[in-house]
Amino acid sequence: MTEILNCDLAITNAYILTLDDDFTEFAPGLILIRNGKLVYVGPDQPYAPRYKTTETINARNKLVMPAFFNAHNHAGMSIYRGLGNDLVLDDWLNRFVWPMEAKFATPENVHLGTLLSTMEMIRSGTNIFADMYFFEEEVARAAEEIGMRVILGEGILNFPTPHFDNAEKYFTYLEQMVTQYRDHSLVGISISAHAPYTCSDELLKRVSELAAYHQVPATIHLAETQWEYDSYMERYGKTSTQYLADLGFFDHHVVAYHCNYLSETDRQILKQSGSGVATITHSNMKLASGVCPVKDLMNRGIPVAIGTDGPASNNNQSVLMDMRSSVLLQKTIEKDPTVLDTHTAIRMATSNGAKAYRMENQLGSLEIDKQADLIMIDTDQPHWQPMHDVYASIVYAMLPSDVETVIVNGRVIMKDRKLLQVDEKKILHQVKTLMKKMNQ
Amino acid sequence: MTEILNCDLAITNAYILTLDDDFTEFAPGLILIRNGKLVYVGPDQPYAPRYKTTETINARNKLVMPAFFNAHNHAGMSIYRGLGNDLVLDDWLNRFVWPMEAKFATPENVHLGTLLSTMEMIRSGTNIFADMYFFEEEVARAAEEIGMRVILGEGILNFPTPHFDNAEKYFTYLEQMVTQYRDHSLVGISISAHAPYTCSDELLKRVSELAAYHQVPATIHLAETQWEYDSYMERYGKTSTQYLADLGFFDHHVVAYHCNYLSETDRQILKQSGSGVATITHSNMKLASGVCPVKDLMNRGIPVAIGTDGPASNNNQSVLMDMRSSVLLQKTIEKDPTVLDTHTAIRMATSNGAKAYRMENQLGSLEIDKQADLIMIDTDQPHWQPMHDVYASIVYAMLPSDVETVIVNGRVIMKDRKLLQVDEKKILHQVKTLMKKMNQ
């Protein structure tokens, strides 16, 4: 007698892009989900296994693929979206961001801003974001409410912040957070040093040691600007990356954000340490900060993932759009249209995030025993057709709004463009009310 | 007694961005339309004029602004979307585009491909496109069917094409087209030389003379690649732009496409001749063709507009997305975040197209006596909020799918994302059927 697969949710009749190592596709394909995990991904009728299910989604004419991975964000900053544009970084921070944060970076507003960001991320097909901001317990709360994954990163630095007036308090807080979220189904932790130049040597060492002790990634903004590169060379005769390496920061797992200015040695450090990199495209382009040498890092085998950066500097949070701009920019800078082909591009937006954070056994492709995190896409639209190459349509033509349904950890959190776990209208209303206060 | 304005359509209660010289806004604003023209743009109640109207749209909570202008396209090429990606230009043309065009560039398929493209353009808020392709009478027919504007440009060159086996036949055809579409409400004409290197001197001169005679623009692909620049310098000791100028090509109104490789003299030629330029961003980035010196051209007062290029090389046709990439790329290349601010960016996507084609008295801003061509946008979405700066939200966060309603020449051609003049499902079905034939 054949075994019967019991499951909570079946997705039938789909055009499945697994994004596994061989880019296996199934059409018509079937996905079976139990306890938040994929228990079957393969052909649908007439080759489907026998199964019983609580719920079924008929994905006829829909594309089903892994959700997008946002490898770097400051989600709570959405409340500052559009404040100060077309400015150099320092000007923007000094004149707009920091004065506003001094007034408005409260736990309540970080929660509201993050909720707003999670809505935008889910609506553009992202299931997980790595965050770096203040009041990260509020970030966790927002992610749990909407039902998406987050990797928390309370940004540690040697200056007083809206959250803590001294660095010591971070460590007490982080110990508590690590304990609280150990083995949480949606929330993970990283230990985040804000940047080499905002943290003392001692702080950087403690961040690295704490991350190592708890076996979580250390994360950091690294080599974002020419200024950072030049000032380290001038002051220490070495790059900020080399400086961190000499402190032992790369002895444990690191995910580094930006990485626009890297020497040959820096690139070897990133490779040999097994670090992940998040390239930040729109935000770096908008602030003219620089361009990450993505092609070279990828050629070395470093997993380069896509981060949107915060919505205050991007000003949107679509991993898809940042991925498109990233590959187009690399072709332009390298003067070579063959670099970062469509298969590579789509990996950057999905499995490379999982690899950078060492979650590739759980996320990044649709394979049995991985987490049931996926998106369903409506391709029956003019900009998708004719679909001579489905990967080209995703990388070069798809819009974030084409994502109809999002499933995270086996749970449907958006269905036919409707968010199921939160009251979207109410949150938008709260955001508008806050904006009025900010403009008084 | 106060005059009563009679009109066909009233748009009430709108948040109007006129994009006039002063960026005047009205909220709540009122727009009155009669015979395809704007007869009132200004404050709504309590300051509205007295009017009678056949139809009213309540635009409560909607943003209303001029539609986007697509200054360069090959709309009929949508049927090749996704065929051959991540290749150098020659390889892509030789291996994919030309063999497929030899088989499939028929009048029927150009009509179908253009219809598909017009659907995508309307859905992303574009009201007009300047086209260059074969069988342009079919392009006109498609544009008329959906109800959008087009500037035709049958591409003339010295090689046989799917349309004509020799260049002479073009001129007979063009004379007839100019007569047919003189004073047409939606269809305009340009005389298009394909490129300097595909046309003989005689052909280039005749194009220019014909355009001058009929007082329509001459259009041309110009200085797209390093190869074009180098080969003209090597062969003639001058650039392709200078070569055209010496032939007298710039004695009359020209709109030049791409313009990635321009000497100082070339830039002066473009300025002194009153030419318009369409910058092509996604397609040039994807093919690594080069970058148009937009900032410098704009500083000289040359109207630089946004063209999407054909959907086979982009692979989408959203002026909004190409505008965003264009300003982000310029900031990156110039290493200066202050270049091309949000006001400038939005002009590139709207009024600069009108200026480049010398249609600024009819299109590009919402002012009395101009054509009633506008879009209504749903800003009540997470990626728009909070809207501290509406222009920043448009330039950096808006998605093409946020366009809900499109009005061209006073007629509603999309309402609440539904195309009113064509059967979208039927066209998509025809496209899929054609794709099957293409893949046989």
Side-chain angles (χ1 to χ4, degrees), chain A residues 47-120:
Chain A
Y47 306 105
R50 295 177 66 199
Y51 63 93
K52 278 188 185 167
T53 182
T54 311
E55 191 186 344
T56 301
I57 297 177
N58 186 340
R60 190 173 168 77
N61 294 326
K62 306 297 177 196
L63 196 63
V64 173
M65 62 172 273
F68 298 118
F69 194 118
N70 191 343
H72 177 55
N73 201 346
H74 311 277
M77 292 184 76
S78 63
I79 62 171
Y80 312 111
R81 188 199 318 266
L83 279 176
N85 299 281
D86 313 310
L87 297 170
V88 294
L89 180 61
D90 276 2
D91 226 17
W92 177 63
L93 292 172
N94 283 309
R95 285 173 50 197
F96 291 92
V97 178
W98 289 337
M100 284 306 253
E101 281 188 338
K103 278 193 200 169
F104 294 101
T106 62
E108 297 70 28
N109 290 344
V110 169
H111 175 252
L112 180 61
T114 307
L115 261 185
L116 180 70
S117 289
T118 59
M119 298 197 304
E120 182 184 348

Side-chain angles (χ1 to χ4, degrees), chain B residues 9-266:
Chain B
L9 176 61
I11 300 169
T12 62
N13 225 344
Y15 177 10
I16 301 173
L17 307 182
T18 63
L19 305 192
D20 66 7
D21 286 345
D22 304 320
F23 283 88
T24 310
E25 302 181 9
F26 301 103
L30 171 70
I31 289 174
L32 300 177
I33 296 169
R34 184 173 57 219
N35 293 333
K37 288 199 170 187
L38 300 167
V39 293
Y40 175 82
V41 180
D44 202 343
Q45 300 302 339
Y47 305 104
R50 294 177 68 198
Y51 64 93
K52 278 187 184 167
T53 183
T54 312
E55 191 188 345
T56 300
I57 297 177
N58 185 342
R60 190 175 167 75
N61 293 326
K62 307 295 177 194
L63 196 64
V64 173
M65 62 172 273
F68 298 117
F69 194 118
N70 192 342
H72 178 54
N73 201 346
H74 311 277
M77 293 184 76
S78 63
I79 62 171
Y80 313 111
R81 190 200 313 270
L83 279 176
N85 298 281
D86 313 309
L87 298 170
V88 293
L89 180 61
D90 275 3
D91 224 19
W92 177 63
L93 291 172
N94 282 309
R95 285 172 51 196
F96 291 91
V97 178
W98 291 337
M100 285 306 254
E101 282 189 336
K103 279 194 197 167
F104 295 101
T106 62
E108 296 71 28
N109 290 344
V110 169
H111 176 252
L112 179 61
T114 307
L115 261 185
L116 180 69
S117 289
T118 60
M119 298 198 302
E120 182 184 348
M121 284 190 276
I122 291 298
R123 287 190 161 283
S124 52
T126 296
N127 64 321
I128 181 168
F129 65 109
D131 201 62
M132 189 198 281
Y133 206 47
F134 318 122
F135 305 107
E136 286 283 307
E137 77 279 10
E138 297 293 340
V139 175
R141 191 156 69 90
E144 282 185 273
E145 279 170 42
I146 200 160
M148 80 183 290
R149 297 181 195 278
V150 64
I151 300 164
L152 304 177
E154 179 83 21
I156 301 176
L157 63 170
N158 275 99
F159 303 95
T161 70
H163 199 176
F164 295 116
D165 55 13
N166 74 67
E168 199 53 45
K169 293 180 182 169
Y170 282 112
F171 290 96
T172 317
Y173 174 77
L174 281 169
E175 289 285 357
Q176 175 201 322
M177 293 285 275
V178 170
T179 312
Q180 182 174 350
Y181 291 111
R182 194 182 299 283
D183 306 320
H184 192 282
S185 61
L186 294 175
V187 182
I189 297 258
S190 69
I191 312 294
S192 296
H194 173 264
Y197 54 89
T198 51
C199 295
S200 66
D201 292 358
E202 191 211 340
L203 211 53
L204 290 165
K205 281 185 195 167
R206 285 186 68 185
V207 163
S208 181
E209 283 159 13
L210 188 65
Y213 180 77
H214 290 294
Q215 292 292 302
V216 299
T219 58
I220 191 163
H221 292 123
L222 185 64
E224 181 173 358
T225 60
Q226 185 75 53
W227 168 85
E228 179 178 328
Y229 190 90
D230 292 347
S231 63
Y232 270 75
M233 288 305 285
E234 198 173 309
R235 196 159 164 194
Y236 304 106
K238 54 186 169 188
T239 65
S240 51
T241 305
Q242 178 76 59
Y243 188 92
L244 289 181
D246 292 349
L247 283 177
F249 196 81
F250 287 102
D251 294 353
H252 178 65
H253 175 204
V254 171
V255 185
Y257 307 140
H258 299 285
C259 298
N260 298 327
Y261 298 90
L262 299 174
S263 69
E264 172 58 31
T265 309
D266 295 346

Side-chain angles (χ1 to χ4, degrees), chain A residues 328-344:
Chain A
L328 290 173
L329 180 62
Q330 291 296 318
K331 291 171 192 293
T332 304
I333 298 286
E334 301 282 348
K335 297 190 195 322
D336 180 358
T338 69
V339 301
L340 302 184
D341 64 12
T342 53
H343 278 197
T344 308

Side-chain angles (χ1 to χ4, degrees), chain A residues 361-381:
Chain A
N361 292 331
Q362 304 154 58
L363 297 174
S365 61
L366 300 183
E367 296 178 86
I368 291 170
D369 285 341
K370 285 200 178 187
Q371 299 296 321
D373 284 38
L374 55 86
I375 57 180
M376 291 174 52
I377 302 166
D378 175 18
T379 64
D380 214 15
Q381 301 186 76

Side-chain angles (χ1 to χ4, degrees), chain A residues 86 331 380 396 401 432, chain B residues 86 321 331 380 396 401 432:
Chain A
D86 313 310
K331 291 171 192 293
D380 214 15
Y396 296 120
S401 47
K432 289 176 192 174
Chain B
D86 313 309
M321 301 317 286
K331 290 170 191 292
D380 214 15
Y396 297 119
S401 47
K432 289 176 192 173

